Amino acid sequence: MKTTSRKRLLISSVAMLLVAMLALGTATFAWFTTDTTTQATGISVQTSKKSLLLVSSRTSDWTDNLNYNFGTDAAKKLLQPASSYDGANWYKAQAVNGMSGEATNGEKITGVGTTAAEGNVFCNMLNVKNTGAETATNVTITANISETAVTSGKNYLRVALVPSDCTADTGRGAATVASAQEFRDNIYSAGADAAKPVEYVGAGVADREGAIKAAAKDVSTQGSSISVNAGDLNQNDAKYYMLIVWFEGQDVDCQDAYAGNDMPNITFTITAD
């Protein structure tokens, strides 16, 4: 009888361990949640120290002060969570329940880089050009992210400032990130957290719907301070960057319970020695 009882106890313990392991596994897979809304407001850039350093966006003229007009304090933009593994293909999904859980079906977000996708991803350009007669050395783009979390520590805002594949003004309209690796190396967050982004495993990336899963490789976010060195710029030289802002649907904190995070203005300052 004692042997039988011990066997039953052992079986019960193993079963509980398996349940716990299963729960842990599903709790770290995907956190696209139902009706998680977040708020974003305007993003601006300016230059300083070198009066002839100018900035531009995807479509704007070169200027010393640029405002993207992506929402205001009085009329904030609402962004639904999104995720990407390469910065070029973006996806949205809903979790099995509103708290956390596996996202078994996803939809590709089309039109990223245009106003058509600004309900999920803000994607534009932040470019810098030297119009002065002398070389601008050590050109640096800096900013601090100050996401206002609805609950302390629940920060899932992501900002990517990534070298683009654009080499001239005429290519700004179709510019994208230089490479998937450049994208993964240049993601910043309001906290020191990281999240596995999603990769698409449907019939093909051109499909609008299909299965999604968490990518095997982590993305290491770089904290709340952005500092990108553009190097030296000779007269009329320009560097072209993709500026992408989104709320990471794969983040463990991206749940209904923490919906409503606020992104204030992100002001980028471009300086040179």
Side-chain angles (χ1 to χ4, degrees), residues 107-128:
E107 181 180 349
K108 187 175 182 181
I109 302 170
T110 58
V112 173
T114 70
T115 56
E118 285 184 354
N120 293 90
V121 183
F122 171 81
C123 180
N124 208 307
M125 298 188 76
L126 195 170
N127 311 309
V128 58

mmCIF file of all heavy atoms in Angstrom, residues 107-128:
data_model
loop_
_atom_site.group_PDB
_atom_site.id
_atom_site.type_symbol
_atom_site.label_atom_id
_atom_site.label_comp_id
_atom_site.label_asym_id
_atom_site.label_seq_id
_atom_site.Cartn_x
_atom_site.Cartn_y
_atom_site.Cartn_z
ATOM 1 N N GLU A 107 -1.707 38.886 -38.988
ATOM 2 C CA GLU A 107 -2.007 39.597 -40.226
ATOM 3 C C GLU A 107 -0.861 40.538 -40.537
ATOM 4 O O GLU A 107 -0.383 41.266 -39.669
ATOM 5 C CB GLU A 107 -3.305 40.385 -40.085
ATOM 6 C CG GLU A 107 -3.695 41.140 -41.346
ATOM 7 C CD GLU A 107 -4.993 41.906 -41.167
ATOM 8 O OE1 GLU A 107 -5.683 41.676 -40.155
ATOM 9 O OE2 GLU A 107 -5.303 42.743 -42.042
ATOM 10 N N LYS A 108 -0.427 40.529 -41.766
ATOM 11 C CA LYS A 108 0.643 41.418 -42.164
ATOM 12 C C LYS A 108 0.093 42.837 -42.268
ATOM 13 O O LYS A 108 -0.996 43.061 -42.775
ATOM 14 C CB LYS A 108 1.232 40.994 -43.503
ATOM 15 C CG LYS A 108 2.475 41.795 -43.893
ATOM 16 C CD LYS A 108 3.110 41.271 -45.155
ATOM 17 C CE LYS A 108 4.369 42.059 -45.484
ATOM 18 N NZ LYS A 108 5.020 41.586 -46.726
ATOM 19 N N ILE A 109 0.867 43.800 -41.765
ATOM 20 C CA ILE A 109 0.483 45.201 -41.847
ATOM 21 C C ILE A 109 1.060 45.761 -43.147
ATOM 22 O O ILE A 109 2.273 45.814 -43.326
ATOM 23 C CB ILE A 109 1.028 46.000 -40.646
ATOM 24 C CG1 ILE A 109 0.521 45.400 -39.336
ATOM 25 C CG2 ILE A 109 0.624 47.464 -40.754
ATOM 26 C CD1 ILE A 109 1.206 45.967 -38.105
ATOM 27 N N THR A 110 0.201 46.156 -44.043
ATOM 28 C CA THR A 110 0.666 46.690 -45.313
ATOM 29 C C THR A 110 0.750 48.216 -45.253
ATOM 30 O O THR A 110 0.074 48.853 -44.452
ATOM 31 C CB THR A 110 -0.277 46.280 -46.459
ATOM 32 O OG1 THR A 110 -1.597 46.752 -46.169
ATOM 33 C CG2 THR A 110 -0.315 44.770 -46.611
ATOM 34 N N GLY A 111 1.569 48.767 -46.095
ATOM 35 C CA GLY A 111 1.671 50.216 -46.189
ATOM 36 C C GLY A 111 2.526 50.851 -45.126
ATOM 37 O O GLY A 111 2.422 52.064 -44.897
ATOM 38 N N VAL A 112 3.393 50.091 -44.446
ATOM 39 C CA VAL A 112 4.267 50.689 -43.440
ATOM 40 C C VAL A 112 5.178 51.709 -44.127
ATOM 41 O O VAL A 112 5.786 51.436 -45.152
ATOM 42 C CB VAL A 112 5.097 49.614 -42.727
ATOM 43 C CG1 VAL A 112 6.126 50.262 -41.809
ATOM 44 C CG2 VAL A 112 4.192 48.700 -41.927
ATOM 45 N N GLY A 113 5.265 52.885 -43.535
ATOM 46 C CA GLY A 113 5.988 53.979 -44.164
ATOM 47 C C GLY A 113 5.047 55.001 -44.783
ATOM 48 O O GLY A 113 5.479 56.050 -45.239
ATOM 49 N N THR A 114 3.763 54.692 -44.770
ATOM 50 C CA THR A 114 2.743 55.626 -45.246
ATOM 51 C C THR A 114 1.724 55.822 -44.142
ATOM 52 O O THR A 114 1.728 55.124 -43.127
ATOM 53 C CB THR A 114 2.029 55.072 -46.496
ATOM 54 O OG1 THR A 114 1.218 53.952 -46.120
ATOM 55 C CG2 THR A 114 3.033 54.619 -47.544
ATOM 56 N N THR A 115 0.820 56.776 -44.348
ATOM 57 C CA THR A 115 -0.211 57.024 -43.337
ATOM 58 C C THR A 115 -1.151 55.825 -43.189
ATOM 59 O O THR A 115 -1.838 55.711 -42.187
ATOM 60 C CB THR A 115 -1.030 58.276 -43.705
ATOM 61 O OG1 THR A 115 -1.573 58.107 -45.022
ATOM 62 C CG2 THR A 115 -0.156 59.514 -43.672
ATOM 63 N N ALA A 116 -1.151 54.920 -44.177
ATOM 64 C CA ALA A 116 -2.057 53.770 -44.125
ATOM 65 C C ALA A 116 -1.761 52.850 -42.955
ATOM 66 O O ALA A 116 -2.648 52.150 -42.470
ATOM 67 C CB ALA A 116 -1.966 52.980 -45.443
ATOM 68 N N ALA A 117 -0.514 52.835 -42.484
ATOM 69 C CA ALA A 117 -0.122 51.916 -41.413
ATOM 70 C C ALA A 117 0.111 52.621 -40.089
ATOM 71 O O ALA A 117 0.571 52.002 -39.132
ATOM 72 C CB ALA A 117 1.137 51.150 -41.818
ATOM 73 N N GLU A 118 -0.212 53.904 -40.004
ATOM 74 C CA GLU A 118 0.114 54.649 -38.799
ATOM 75 C C GLU A 118 -0.780 54.312 -37.615
ATOM 76 O O GLU A 118 -0.605 54.856 -36.538
ATOM 77 C CB GLU A 118 0.107 56.153 -39.092
ATOM 78 C CG GLU A 118 1.334 56.585 -39.879
ATOM 79 C CD GLU A 118 1.395 58.091 -40.108
ATOM 80 O OE1 GLU A 118 0.421 58.784 -39.743
ATOM 81 O OE2 GLU A 118 2.400 58.553 -40.653
ATOM 82 N N GLY A 119 -1.745 53.392 -37.812
ATOM 83 C CA GLY A 119 -2.501 52.899 -36.672
ATOM 84 C C GLY A 119 -1.721 51.870 -35.878
ATOM 85 O O GLY A 119 -2.092 51.505 -34.770
ATOM 86 N N ASN A 120 -0.602 51.381 -36.444
ATOM 87 C CA ASN A 120 0.240 50.401 -35.771
ATOM 88 C C ASN A 120 1.710 50.819 -35.709
ATOM 89 O O ASN A 120 2.359 50.616 -34.686
ATOM 90 C CB ASN A 120 0.157 49.048 -36.492
ATOM 91 C CG ASN A 120 -1.211 48.413 -36.370
ATOM 92 O OD1 ASN A 120 -2.082 48.644 -37.208
ATOM 93 N ND2 ASN A 120 -1.410 47.627 -35.340
ATOM 94 N N VAL A 121 2.209 51.361 -36.786
ATOM 95 C CA VAL A 121 3.637 51.662 -36.871
ATOM 96 C C VAL A 121 3.846 53.055 -37.461
ATOM 97 O O VAL A 121 3.325 53.357 -38.537
ATOM 98 C CB VAL A 121 4.369 50.630 -37.764
ATOM 99 C CG1 VAL A 121 5.870 50.917 -37.789
ATOM 100 C CG2 VAL A 121 4.103 49.212 -37.291
ATOM 101 N N PHE A 122 4.579 53.906 -36.741
ATOM 102 C CA PHE A 122 5.006 55.167 -37.314
ATOM 103 C C PHE A 122 6.368 54.930 -37.947
ATOM 104 O O PHE A 122 7.327 54.556 -37.269
ATOM 105 C CB PHE A 122 5.113 56.259 -36.248
ATOM 106 C CG PHE A 122 5.760 57.527 -36.759
ATOM 107 C CD1 PHE A 122 5.027 58.444 -37.482
ATOM 108 C CD2 PHE A 122 7.102 57.785 -36.513
ATOM 109 C CE1 PHE A 122 5.622 59.614 -37.964
ATOM 110 C CE2 PHE A 122 7.698 58.942 -36.985
ATOM 111 C CZ PHE A 122 6.961 59.860 -37.712
ATOM 112 N N CYS A 123 6.471 55.112 -39.248
ATOM 113 C CA CYS A 123 7.720 54.854 -39.965
ATOM 114 C C CYS A 123 7.992 56.011 -40.912
ATOM 115 O O CYS A 123 7.227 56.248 -41.847
ATOM 116 C CB CYS A 123 7.630 53.530 -40.726
ATOM 117 S SG CYS A 123 9.124 53.118 -41.654
ATOM 118 N N ASN A 124 9.076 56.721 -40.648
ATOM 119 C CA ASN A 124 9.446 57.861 -41.477
ATOM 120 C C ASN A 124 10.967 57.862 -41.584
ATOM 121 O O ASN A 124 11.606 56.839 -41.308
ATOM 122 C CB ASN A 124 8.897 59.156 -40.883
ATOM 123 C CG ASN A 124 8.634 60.225 -41.922
ATOM 124 O OD1 ASN A 124 9.507 60.581 -42.717
ATOM 125 N ND2 ASN A 124 7.410 60.739 -41.936
ATOM 126 N N MET A 125 11.538 58.984 -41.962
ATOM 127 C CA MET A 125 12.989 59.089 -42.040
ATOM 128 C C MET A 125 13.477 60.261 -41.212
ATOM 129 O O MET A 125 12.769 61.252 -41.027
ATOM 130 C CB MET A 125 13.447 59.258 -43.499
ATOM 131 C CG MET A 125 13.105 58.101 -44.411
ATOM 132 S SD MET A 125 13.880 58.264 -46.051
ATOM 133 C CE MET A 125 15.590 57.815 -45.667
ATOM 134 N N LEU A 126 14.694 60.132 -40.695
ATOM 135 C CA LEU A 126 15.384 61.226 -40.035
ATOM 136 C C LEU A 126 16.755 61.304 -40.717
ATOM 137 O O LEU A 126 17.629 60.463 -40.485
ATOM 138 C CB LEU A 126 15.539 60.966 -38.538
ATOM 139 C CG LEU A 126 15.918 62.157 -37.641
ATOM 140 C CD1 LEU A 126 15.787 61.762 -36.178
ATOM 141 C CD2 LEU A 126 17.307 62.690 -37.903
ATOM 142 N N ASN A 127 16.918 62.300 -41.568
ATOM 143 C CA ASN A 127 18.130 62.434 -42.364
ATOM 144 C C ASN A 127 18.894 63.685 -41.947
ATOM 145 O O ASN A 127 18.303 64.665 -41.509
ATOM 146 C CB ASN A 127 17.773 62.517 -43.851
ATOM 147 C CG ASN A 127 16.804 61.423 -44.267
ATOM 148 O OD1 ASN A 127 17.027 60.255 -43.988
ATOM 149 N ND2 ASN A 127 15.708 61.809 -44.920
ATOM 150 N N VAL A 128 20.190 63.655 -42.089
ATOM 151 C CA VAL A 128 21.014 64.798 -41.711
ATOM 152 C C VAL A 128 21.978 65.114 -42.851
ATOM 153 O O VAL A 128 22.536 64.214 -43.478
ATOM 154 C CB VAL A 128 21.765 64.534 -40.385
ATOM 155 C CG1 VAL A 128 22.639 63.289 -40.475
ATOM 156 C CG2 VAL A 128 22.595 65.745 -39.980
#
